[in-house]
Amino acid sequence: MKKKSSPSTPRSEREAVIVSHFGVKVLIRFPDGSTHLAHVKRSSGHVVGDCVSICEADQLERLPRRTLLTRMDNSGKPRPLAANLDSLGIVVTSVPQTPPGFVERILVAAYAAGLKPFIVLNKIDLPATSLLREKIEEEFSALAQIVCVSASEKQNLEALRQHLSTAGRTVFVGVSGAGKSSLLNALAPELDLAVGQLNQDQHGCHVTSVSTLITLPDGGELVDTPGFRDFSPVDVSSEDLAYWYPGFSSILGQTPCKFRNCRHRNEPGCSIIAAVDVEMLRRERYELYLEILVEIEEREKQQAQRGRS
Ligand SMILES: Nc1nc2c(ncn2[C@@H]2O[C@H](COP(=O)(O)OP(=O)(O)OP(=O)(O)O)[C@@H](O)[C@H]2O)c(=O)[nH]1
Ligand SMILES: [Mg+2]
Ligand SMILES: [Zn+2]
């Protein structure tokens, strides 16, 4: 049977996948494994994972994307991170701490982008990570698979390898210093990506500045990304947020709210508020929903104002 090609797999020798992006240059990989450094405009919008076709004069034409993960930067601009992904690994650990709500925000972004999320709890060799493990398992085991590893001590890497081998193309996201690059190095030792020490405040030093796509020896592909602490979901409207928000869909599926357009704030007959009252839904998680809802509504208001002016 002829193998069906997807947009994330180059179909001809003139097609390639972007495996690194350096601003005005991208490293592309052809189906035979050879690579080539091509020039692109800073405004090209290409990202790692994009499939491109090589036109005349070395110009790259981007092929349609299957999926795209985008985050909002500090100035409120959407920044595409990587394309043609299947799965998203949220890398968390005890040091540096992951900001409250980070995992929920990324879960929303992953679901909305059509990616299957899972959690990688790294640095299980540190005693502080055992405490975090209990918390993460309590809060997220019903929502996503959790793989507990130590990149530096090479603990339980086999479980991660196995997970990745059937996950398609995965992107790792997490705060700087969580150990994303260390994990890639542990999974593919010939890589030798730069890793950095934590600073005096136990934060990472933003060592990785470009995303890199690698093919794993045991199957699957993995994208390393630069660390960031804030992640506001893009491409999610205030109306859609509840649909993607972790833990809401099972409640709403069982008992829909009285009003179809319920925003789950203070509307009568709201099943989400009722679930919080009977402790079926953690109050902190619900309050985080309200926080993200305000952010998105604020953004929508600004967009509407810009549209009018
Ligand atoms: N104890 C312990 N330290 C680890 C582990 N994995 C990574 N580290 C350390 O954590 C620090 C940060 O690792 P990196 O791999 O650079 O982290 P990163 O997430 O890629 O950081 P950015 O590239 O800045 O986003 C380094 O000092 C690593 O040696 C682990 O499993 N256990
Ligand atoms: Mg890194
Ligand atoms: Zn409601």
Side-chain angles (χ1 to χ4, degrees), residues 91 95-96 122-126 149-153 174-183 194-198 204-209 224-228:
V91 182
V95 220
N122 187 31
K123 310 197 188 183
I124 53 168
D125 54 294
L126 300 178
V149 291
S150 166
S152 61
E153 302 308 310
V175 298
S176 174
K180 300 175 292 300
S181 304
S182 303
L183 284 166
V195 302
Q197 295 303 312
L198 303 187
C205 296
H206 294 280
V207 175
T208 305
S209 57
D224 186 21
T225 62
F228 40 78

Side-chain angles (χ1 to χ4, degrees), residues 89-93 98 102 120-122 172-175 178-180 183:
I90 310 169
V91 182
V92 296
T93 185
T98 300
F102 185 86
V120 183
L121 179 68
N122 187 31
F172 271 172
V173 293
V175 298
K180 300 175 292 300
L183 284 166

Side-chain angles (χ1 to χ4, degrees), residues 21-305:
H21 196 310
F22 312 97
V24 290
K25 281 181 192 161
V26 291
L27 186 68
I28 59 175
R29 193 184 61 213
F30 292 94
D32 67 359
S34 62
T35 56
H36 170 67
L37 202 56
H39 287 265
V40 289
K41 287 200 182 113
R42 201 169 277 283
S43 59
S44 73
H46 300 331
V47 290
V48 163
D50 266 326
C51 237
V52 288
S53 136
I54 325 293
C55 312
E56 272 170 40
D58 223 15
Q59 292 289 308
L60 303 186
E61 187 190 322
R62 187 166 68 234
L63 302 179
R65 289 165 170 159
R66 196 159 47 81
T67 57
L68 177 68
L69 180 68
T70 310
R71 71 180 273 264
M72 201 67 94
D73 73 7
N74 291 338
S75 62
K77 253 180 126 183
R79 297 268 175 211
L81 272 178
N84 298 318
L85 303 162
D86 303 289
S87 136
L88 184 154
I90 310 169
V91 182
V92 296
T93 185
S94 50
V95 220
Q97 281 182 359
T98 300
F102 185 86
V103 176
E104 280 91 343
R105 283 164 187 274
I106 297 193
L107 285 174
V108 171
Y111 296 138
L115 313 182
K116 190 161 182 215
F118 67 105
I119 295 173
V120 183
L121 179 68
N122 187 31
K123 310 197 188 183
I124 53 168
D125 54 294
L126 300 178
T129 311
S130 322
L131 280 178
L132 178 68
R133 183 175 182 164
E134 280 173 31
K135 190 172 176 299
I136 293 280
E137 282 176 350
E138 191 188 320
E139 294 182 9
F140 296 104
S141 56
L143 296 166
Q145 189 173 341
I146 302 165
V147 188
C148 302
V149 291
S150 166
S152 61
E153 302 308 310
K154 310 226 179 322
Q155 287 174 22
N156 209 25
L157 288 177
E158 203 39 50
L160 183 58
R161 262 192 207 105
Q162 263 182 25
H163 182 94
L164 293 167
S165 69
T166 57
R169 184 179 288 166
T170 298
V171 61
F172 271 172
V173 293
V175 298
S176 174
K180 300 175 292 300
S181 304
S182 303
L183 284 166
L184 267 87
N185 283 341
L187 293 164
E190 73 289 351
L191 259 183
D192 202 19
L193 292 171
V195 302
Q197 295 303 312
L198 303 187
N199 66 18
Q200 280 180 338
D201 300 331
Q202 302 293 327
H203 283 135
C205 296
H206 294 280
V207 175
T208 305
S209 57
V210 294
S211 298
T212 307
L213 167 72
I214 63 152
T215 303
L216 294 165
D218 301 302
E221 290 180 306
L222 193 48
V223 180
D224 186 21
T225 62
F228 40 78
R229 298 187 68 76
D230 55 327
F231 199 108
S232 185
V234 188
D235 299 332
V236 178
S237 69
S238 52
E239 202 182 330
D240 289 347
L241 177 63
Y243 183 75
W244 303 118
Y245 195 74
F248 276 26
S249 62
S250 56
I251 297 168
L252 296 171
Q254 270 177 13
T255 327
C257 301
K258 184 173 172 192
F259 298 112
R260 266 193 64 187
N261 61 350
C262 188
R263 291 280 165 104
H264 321 298
R265 269 199 171 102
N266 43 26
E267 295 90 337
C270 174
S271 309
I272 295 294
I273 299 172
V276 177
D277 289 343
V278 298
E279 294 179 14
M280 216 170 106
L281 181 70
R282 283 190 314 111
R283 187 165 292 279
E284 298 83 50
R285 181 160 289 164
Y286 171 62
E287 282 170 359
L288 182 69
Y289 160 78
L290 295 177
E291 202 181 291
I292 303 174
L293 182 65
V294 170
E295 265 171 42
I296 297 179
E297 284 176 341
E298 215 35 61
R299 196 158 73 212
E300 287 171 347
K301 242 187 262 166
Q302 285 168 6
Q303 278 163 354
Q305 271 164 6

